[in-house]
């Protein structure tokens, strides 16, 4: 896997972890259904896209919350999040190797069956030749 794809995938994974942790804690956002989910991830870097399927249950939600808590304490100097009806917004400043990554995440829930996430990140100094990226994730419940 190229460094650009690997780094962009890491940023997308962090966003996904954050989305799951916030969704599990937010009173004003719908609780996503357990079961089979499909997530499409589109990246501006290289114009790549990936589709994955995974099962979501109470154990995976709990594990996601634990991963997010560990990530916040270990690598981030600032994590601020707030919810609005149907959406979560997170801003963070984290270290990934030698780079400081400043990320803005907007997660919108259209229902308990679907979500849309836009992750905008900047890297200082640039990583793998990238000074920034945008990742879009769309998830839908399959059953």
């Amino acid at each position: 896997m190229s460094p650009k794809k690997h780094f962009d995938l890491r940023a997308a994974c962090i966003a996904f972890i954050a989305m799951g942790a916030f969704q599990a804690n937010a009173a004003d956002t719908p609780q996503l259904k357990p079961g089979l989910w499909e997530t499409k991830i589109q990246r501006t870097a290289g114009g790549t896209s990936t589709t994955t399927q995974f099962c979501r249950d109470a154990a995976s939600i709990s594990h996601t919350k634990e991963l997010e808590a560990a990530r916040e304490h270990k690598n981030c100097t600032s994590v601020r999040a707030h919810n609005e009806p149907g959406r979560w917004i997170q801003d963070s400043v984290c270290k990934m190797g030698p780079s400081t990554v400043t990320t803005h995440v907007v997660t919108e829930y259209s229902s308990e069956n679907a979500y849309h996430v836009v992750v905008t990140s900047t890297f200082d100094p640039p990583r793998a030749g990238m000074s920034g990226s945008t990742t879009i994730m769309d998830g839908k419940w399959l059953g």
Side-chain angles (χ1 to χ4, degrees):
M1 184 180 293
S2 75
K4 283 184 182 182
K5 286 183 182 177
H6 178 71
F7 185 70
D8 212 30
L9 183 59
R10 283 185 64 191
C13 288
I14 288 171
F16 183 74
I17 289 169
M19 183 275 305
F22 292 146
Q23 190 274 327
N25 290 321
D28 292 340
T29 58
Q31 292 297 310
L32 297 177
K33 284 185 173 182
L36 181 62
W37 282 80
E38 179 177 271
T39 300
K40 293 181 181 180
I41 302 172
Q42 300 172 335
R43 299 168 199 83
T44 58
T48 61
S49 64
T50 306
T51 301
T52 58
Q53 292 184 352
F54 61 95
C55 287
R56 180 180 171 87
D57 60 12
S60 66
I61 294 168
S62 177
H63 181 68
T64 299
K65 288 169 54 177
E66 291 169 12
L67 287 174
E68 176 64 10
R71 184 189 68 82
E72 283 183 26
H73 291 95
K74 183 176 180 184
N75 299 320
C76 299
T77 57
S78 173
V79 177
R80 290 184 306 267
H82 68 277
N83 65 318
E84 297 174 359
R87 64 192 241 167
W88 264 98
I89 299 171
Q90 177 198 17
D91 292 293
S92 62
V93 178
C94 305
K95 289 294 279 185
M96 282 189 178
S99 289
T100 298
V101 181
T102 303
T103 303
H104 178 73
V105 181
V106 177
T107 303
E108 296 179 334
Y109 300 93
S110 56
S111 68
E112 64 184 6
N113 299 324
Y115 58 85
H116 176 78
V117 182
V118 178
V119 181
T120 306
S121 299
T122 58
F123 316 114
D124 184 26
R127 294 219 18 157
M130 292 189 315
S131 59
S133 73
T134 299
T135 301
I136 300 170
M137 294 183 290
D138 288 295
K140 65 180 179 180
W141 182 73
L142 300 177

